[in-house]
Amino acid sequence: MSTLVVVGAQWGDEGKGKVVDALASQADLVARYAGGNNAGHTLVVSGRKIVTHLVPSGCAYPGTLCVLGAGMVIDPEVFRQEITALQKTGMLLGDELRVSLDAHVIFPFHRWLDGSREDDVGGTRIGTTRRGIGPAYEAKAARRGIRVRDLLNPTRLRERLDANAVAVNAELERLGAEDRLDIEAEIARAVGWVVWLKPFLCDTGELVDESIRGGKRVLIEGAQGALLDLDHGTYPYVTSSTTLAGGACAGLGIGPTAINAVWGITKAYTTRVGAGPFPTRLDGELGDLLRGAGDEFGATTGRPRDCGWLDLPALRYAARRNGLTGLCVTKLDVLAQMPKVAICRSYADGVRPGHDEFEAARPEIEFLPGWGAPELAERISEARELEDLPAAARSYLDMISEFTGVPIALVSVGPGRDQTVFIGEAF
Ligand code: IMP
């Protein structure tokens, strides 16, 4: 097995950074295929916390190639800050980064549009990260997006900016924003970006394809989660790209036959940021307790995340839409800090994820025996083998696996790299 895709199986923030970091030690190449700096992946290496937004979580291993694929939208300013910060910590020593010439570029005007739309009282508030993700993907679909390769071609860059200026400025004006797209200023900005960006650029589709053909171990890292997918998520409360494993092929430029396995990551409970349906959301004291225990605040925006019990029907939906072959369950130790633990196996009136009625789904909640014991969290966070886990935790994992029809591949029992129980073979 040489190509593994790892995706979020909930509404994002499942702990992809930690899991990909734990698996990346075995990989030769780690690639991202969608999204941009709306993602925030937290790694804890030697007790130090590192958050990446664009660079794949494999960056913590010197020598492991890290690829930003064609399906991504890249804000060069954020990318540069991230590289500098990683270099300061001794990571990204030199030649490990590659950026697709076909990825799309986020300019400041994409951010202005995103933020102004969110502030527009007459609009649908999605609760976006305001990073310009939606407007950049929108321009791509409208065939006036600006690709990384266009930064190298002044004539084409001017044409593309021209194609954007009228519509963008009219919308900014209508929304009452002060900023305007100024073509000369954007060209000057792009010239500055090219100076440092150029050495990273290549045909990453060819690079990934050749790595797979050469028998290299390739780890493909998704962003956000299944329920935020543009086609299969809780539309319109979704991100603007594909978050499912199927998107890895289009986003990188490889065929489905190149993928050997797909692992989905789920927390032992559920969280969501931004607007949109979340049937098992806990309001009140239990929700606050879970947020505190899990430190559930956005890695990108710092927003408090809504928290709730594990939603098994939603997880099974994610497992099927992704074709999962393994499940990685994170934050099991956090769940054990709760005074009681429950799950949802169904919603009232036969509602199912993907149905119109999902927006108002009422979960049927079931409390589980064996939890709520104070020493449980400590025993869980010390486990390194499946056998080390207490019986209540093991039967919890069995139940998840049985319900979704997917074997458990990995369990995360704390933020540290070593706090991981490996069950399945990644490569
Ligand atoms: P956008 O991706 O910034 O356009 O935001 C669209 C929706 O996706 C909002 O509900 C965001 O909160 C959510 N979202 C985007 N990226 C992430 C992420 O990495 N984790 C969790 N939610 C996210």
Side-chain angles (χ1 to χ4, degrees), residues 94-313:
D95 195 28
E96 304 98 327
L97 269 180
R98 299 288 185 281
V99 177
S100 169
L101 284 159
D102 294 320
H104 280 244
V105 180
I106 296 184
F107 278 77
F109 62 85
H110 294 123
R111 287 199 302 270
W112 301 333
L113 281 175
D114 200 356
S116 307
R117 287 174 185 174
E118 282 291 301
D119 292 336
D120 180 21
V121 282
T124 307
R125 232 190 128 255
I126 303 293
T128 73
T129 59
R130 297 170 174 257
R131 300 299 192 259
I133 307 297
Y137 276 118
E138 219 173 281
K140 170 178 171 173
R143 287 158 296 187
R144 57 179 161 77
I146 301 168
R147 294 184 298 173
V148 170
R149 63 171 71 250
D150 300 330
L151 302 176
L152 309 173
N153 180 333
T155 312
R156 204 160 52 204
L157 177 61
R158 186 176 288 277
E159 279 169 18
R160 290 279 195 278
L161 286 166
D162 258 340
N164 281 276
V166 175
V168 167
N169 284 339
E171 187 175 353
L172 287 172
E173 188 174 354
R174 184 180 64 74
L175 293 168
E178 282 175 12
D179 299 297
R180 294 288 178 272
L181 192 176
D182 172 341
I183 293 177
E184 300 312 321
E186 296 310 333
I187 289 175
R189 199 191 305 276
V191 168
W193 288 340
V194 167
V195 174
W196 58 267
L197 194 56
K198 211 170 169 182
F200 300 121
L201 309 183
C202 73
D203 178 346
T204 54
E206 186 175 77
L207 172 69
V208 175
D209 179 63
E210 276 177 3
S211 301
I212 293 171
R213 284 175 198 282
K216 296 260 170 35
R217 284 158 304 184
V218 173
L219 182 58
I220 302 177
E221 175 183 356
Q224 291 84 44
L227 280 303
L228 287 174
D229 182 76
L230 181 58
D231 294 300
H232 302 277
T234 47
Y235 193 86
Y237 302 101
V238 293
T239 191
S240 299
S241 59
T242 174
T243 63
L244 297 180
C249 299
L252 287 174
I254 55 173
T257 46
I259 309 289
N260 302 107
V262 183
W263 285 7
I265 309 179
T266 174
K267 276 178 189 158
Y269 49 95
T270 310
T271 64
R272 173 163 205 177
V273 268
F278 176 4
T280 61
R281 175 190 283 120
L282 282 168
D283 294 317
E285 199 191 340
L286 277 178
D288 292 343
L289 268 178
L290 199 45
R291 183 176 312 107
D295 193 20
E296 296 294 352
F297 296 89
T300 300
T301 58
R303 290 181 290 178
R305 297 174 184 143
D306 287 331
C307 300
W309 303 124
L310 185 62
D311 184 331
L312 285 170

